[in-house]
C-alpha cells in the first residue's frame, strides 16, 4: 500500500464518517502549520475519548490485510477539541500511525492529546520508537486503546511517556473494539500460534458443499474480503487439484499464502491453477515426500499432520491469521478439526447457509470434533439470498 493513502490534512473542514459522529470536525491547516478555523466538536467530555478512539480504529482498518505481522493502528491528534492530525500504519516496514498523524498536525501537535488504538512502541525495529516522536512533538497527553501484548513493548511505551512527563490513560470503554481490531495479532503474541478461522458453506439440510454464494467471491463480497484480511488460507489437496485457488478481488488486496494439506498422496501432486510465477505463494504440508507441480512450490513433510503444529509453524513464518476453507466433509481437513474446541485451536467460525437442499451421498456430514458447545458473540446477516453466520469459539 502506498503511503499516499495515509490521511492528510485538507484545506477545508471535513466531517468524519457518519459511523463516528456527525460533530467530528477537523482543524484546517496548510502544510501542517495553519490557523484554527473549524467547528468544535459538541460531544460531552465523557464521550470524547470514545469518539476519537473509534476514529482511530476506523483509520487503522484502512490498512486491513497489509500490516501483518504488525498490528493495525490508527492515531488522531486533538487540540482544543479539534482534530489537527490523523494517520495510520499502512504496512510493515513503513512509519507507524503516530508518525503520520504527527506529520499531519505539524506544530499544532504541541500541547495536544494523541489518541492511538494501541500502545506506542518504545523500541527500534524497522522504524524508530513512536514514544520518542510523541515526546519530541511535545504532546500534552496520550490516550491508548489497549496495551500491546508484544513482550518487547508490553507497557514499556506507556512507562517511557510517563517518565517524560506525559499523562497516559487507557480508553477502557473502547478497549473491546481495539482488541477485536487486532484479534489475530494478539492471539499470536499470547499463544505462539496463528489465529484460525473455520469457514464453510452448508446447504439447508446441513451438508457441506463446495460452493460459494452468489457475489461472495466478487469485490465487496464477504469471501473476497475474508481472503484479503487473512495471511493464509488452508485448503485440501483435492480442492487444489480440481478448483481455481481462492483469490481476493478487493482493490489492492495482498493475496493469502496457500497452505495445501496433502495426506496419503501418491508421489506427485499437480496444482493446475497455480503457475510457476506464483509458486512461492503456496506451501504443501504432507505426511509423505511428494513432488509438486508447478516447480518451486515449497513442500514440508511433517511427522504429524495436525492443527496445532501447523498453526505453530505458520506463526513462526510470520503469519498472524489463517482461514481454514472447509469444503468437503470427510476430506483432508476433517482430521485437523478433531478436538479443535477442546484444544482451543480454532478461534472463530464463519458459516454460509445456502438456500439449496443437497442429497447425501452416504458421507458422514458431521465434522468439528466430538464436543458440543455454544458459540459466543454470534452475528448474522443476509446477503444476496444467503445467510452468513459468524461466532467465536
Amino acid at each position: 500500500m502506498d503511503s499516499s493513502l495515509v490521511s492528510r490534512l485538507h484545506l477545508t473542514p471535513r466531517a468524519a464518517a457518519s459511523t463516528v459522529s456527525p460533530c467530528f470536525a477537523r482543524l484546517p491547516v496548510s502544510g501542517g502549520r495553519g490557523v484554527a478555523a473549524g467547528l468544535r466538536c459538541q460531544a460531552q467530555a465523557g464521550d470524547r475519548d470514545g469518539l476519537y478512539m473509534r476514529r482511530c480504529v476506523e483509520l487503522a482498518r484502512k490498512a486491513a490485510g497489509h500490516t501483518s505481522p504488525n498490528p493495525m493502528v490508527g492515531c488522531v491528534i486533538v487540540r482544543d477539541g479539534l482534530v489537527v492530525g490523523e494517520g495510520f500504519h499502512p504496512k510493515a516496514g513503513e512509519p507507524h500511525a503516530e508518525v503520520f498523524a504527527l506529520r499531519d498536525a505539524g506544530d499544532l501537535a504541541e500541547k495536544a492529546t494523541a489518541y492511538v488504538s494501541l500502545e506506542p512502541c518504545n523500541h527500534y525495529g524497522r522504524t524508530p520508537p513512536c514514544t520518542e516522536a510523541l515526546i519530541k512533538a511535545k504532546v500534552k497527553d496520550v490516550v491508548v486503546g489497549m496495551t500491546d501484548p508484544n513482550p518487547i513493548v508490553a507497557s514499556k511505551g506507556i512507562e517511557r511517556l510517563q517518565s517524560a512527563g506525559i499523562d497516559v490513560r487507557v480508553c477502557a470503554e473502547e478497549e473491546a473494539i481495539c482488541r477485536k481490531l487486532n484479534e489475530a495479532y494478539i492471539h499470536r503474541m499470547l499463544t505462539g500460534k496463528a489465529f484460525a478461522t473455520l469457514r464453510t458453506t452448508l446447504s439447508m439440510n446441513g451438508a457441506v458443499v463446495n460452493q460459494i454464494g452468489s457475489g461472495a467471491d466478487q469485490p465487496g463480497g464477504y469471501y473476497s474480503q475474508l481472503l484479503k484480511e487473512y495471511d493464509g488460507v488452508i485448503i485440501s489437496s483435492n480442492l487444489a487439484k480440481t478448483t481455481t485457488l481462492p483469490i481476493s478481488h478487493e482493490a489492492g488486496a495482498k493475496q493469502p499464502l496457500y497452505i495445501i494439506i496433502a495426506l496419503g498422496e501418491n508421489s506427485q501432486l499437480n496444482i493446475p491453477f497455480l503457475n510457476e510465477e506464483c509458486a512461492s505463494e503456496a506451501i504443501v504440508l504432507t505426511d509423505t515426500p511428494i513432488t509438486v507441480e508447478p516447480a518451486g512450490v515449497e513442500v514440508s513433510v511433517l511427522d504429524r499432520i495436525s492443527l496445532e503444529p501447523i498453526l505453530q509453524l505458520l506463526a513462526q513464518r510470520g503469519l498472524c491469521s489463517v482461514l481454514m476453507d472447509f469444503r468437503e466433509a470427510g476430506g483432508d481437513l476433517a482430521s485437523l478439526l478433531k478436538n479443535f474446541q477442546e484444544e482451543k485451536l480454532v478461534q472463530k467460525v464463519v458459516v454460509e447457509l445456502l438456500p439449496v437442499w443437497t442429497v447425501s451421498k452416504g458421507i458422514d456430514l458431521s465434522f468439528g470434533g466430538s464436543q458440543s458447545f455454544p458459540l459466543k458473540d454470534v452475528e448474522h446477516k443476509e446477503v444476496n439470498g444467503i445467510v452468513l453466520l459468524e461466532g467465536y469459539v
Side-chain angles (χ1 to χ4, degrees):
M1 180 184 296
D2 191 285
S3 59
S4 62
L5 292 177
V6 177
S7 176
R8 302 301 301 157
L9 285 171
H10 292 251
L11 297 178
T12 57
R14 65 172 175 84
S18 59
T19 54
V20 180
S21 170
C23 69
F24 193 86
R26 289 288 309 263
L27 176 65
V29 300
S30 176
R33 293 177 172 80
V35 180
L39 297 174
R40 287 184 178 273
C41 177
Q42 299 302 311
Q44 298 298 313
D47 299 332
R48 289 174 189 160
D49 284 0
L51 174 74
Y52 297 126
M53 195 56 64
R54 291 191 294 276
R55 176 58 178 166
C56 288
V57 171
E58 182 182 23
L59 289 166
R61 285 204 60 81
K62 291 177 181 288
H66 292 277
T67 63
S68 186
N70 289 357
M72 291 178 281
V73 183
C75 181
V76 173
I77 309 295
V78 179
R79 178 169 166 174
D80 297 327
L82 295 170
V83 175
V84 296
E86 292 183 338
F88 62 90
H89 178 46
K91 66 179 181 180
E94 292 205 6
H96 293 179
E98 298 92 325
V99 173
F100 282 111
L102 290 171
R103 288 178 185 173
D104 205 6
D107 292 343
L108 293 174
E110 185 173 351
K111 296 183 180 180
T113 298
Y115 291 85
V116 59
S117 56
L118 185 69
E119 175 186 1
C121 65
N122 187 47
H123 65 282
Y124 283 88
R126 283 186 279 185
T127 60
C130 292
T131 51
E132 301 309 310
L134 291 165
I135 293 169
K136 183 178 179 180
K138 299 180 181 178
V139 299
K140 180 179 64 176
D141 47 18
V142 175
V143 182
V144 301
M146 60 170 288
T147 56
D148 195 331
N150 186 342
I152 298 176
V153 182
S155 298
K156 298 181 179 67
I158 291 176
E159 292 169 2
R160 174 67 183 108
L161 292 171
Q162 290 174 332
S163 70
I166 296 174
D167 180 54
V168 183
R169 63 184 184 275
V170 176
C171 185
E173 64 270 25
E174 301 300 335
E175 188 173 2
I177 66 168
C178 293
R179 288 188 173 279
K180 185 174 176 61
L181 172 70
N182 286 304
E183 59 189 7
Y185 167 80
I186 295 169
H187 180 79
R188 176 173 172 254
M189 283 296 166
L190 296 179
T191 69
K193 302 183 187 74
F195 181 96
T197 293
L198 169 64
R199 190 222 70 86
T200 193
T201 303
L202 301 180
S203 66
M204 288 293 287
N205 58 322
V208 177
V209 293
N210 183 9
Q211 188 176 343
I212 300 294
S214 175
D217 57 352
Q218 298 304 307
Y222 93 88
Y223 186 69
S224 177
Q225 293 184 47
L226 273 180
L227 291 173
K228 173 187 175 181
E229 296 185 6
Y230 281 79
D231 298 334
V233 56
I234 296 178
I235 59 176
S236 68
S237 59
N238 186 55
L239 184 67
K241 288 186 291 186
T242 59
T243 309
T244 302
L245 297 178
I247 296 175
S248 173
H249 294 282
E250 302 308 298
K254 178 183 177 183
Q255 300 302 328
L257 175 72
Y258 301 114
I259 302 111
I260 301 167
I261 308 299
L263 299 178
E265 286 285 344
N266 295 324
S267 59
Q268 184 166 326
L269 171 63
N270 182 36
I271 308 174
F273 298 100
L274 184 69
N275 56 44
E276 290 191 13
E277 289 75 18
C278 299
S280 63
E281 298 172 4
I283 177 174
V284 173
L285 303 181
T286 179
D287 53 356
T288 57
I290 58 174
T291 301
V292 177
E293 293 291 339
V297 174
E298 180 182 347
V299 178
S300 182
V301 181
L302 302 181
D303 295 333
R304 181 169 60 100
I305 299 291
S306 62
L307 192 53
E308 183 167 13
I310 289 174
L311 296 177
Q312 290 174 339
L313 173 66
L314 297 178
Q316 291 166 7
R317 294 172 65 99
L319 278 70
C320 288
S321 60
V322 62
L323 183 70
M324 297 186 64
D325 202 350
F326 188 83
R327 300 198 189 188
E328 42 190 359
D332 288 349
L333 299 193
S335 62
L336 297 183
L337 295 171
K338 183 179 180 181
N339 301 324
F340 78 84
Q341 193 272 342
E342 296 94 318
E343 298 174 3
K344 311 300 181 187
L345 297 177
V346 172
Q347 286 67 55
K348 196 172 183 179
V349 175
V350 175
V351 176
E352 179 186 32
L353 186 61
L354 295 185
V356 298
W357 195 274
T358 302
V359 177
S360 171
K361 298 180 180 179
I363 300 175
D364 180 8
L365 299 181
S366 64
F367 65 94
S370 57
Q371 180 174 319
S372 299
F373 58 91
L375 293 176
K376 304 171 184 176
D377 301 326
V378 176
E379 297 179 356
H380 71 277
K381 61 182 177 180
E382 183 178 345
V383 183
N384 294 334
I386 68 171
V387 176
L388 193 64
L389 298 165
E390 178 181 299
Y392 289 84
V393 177

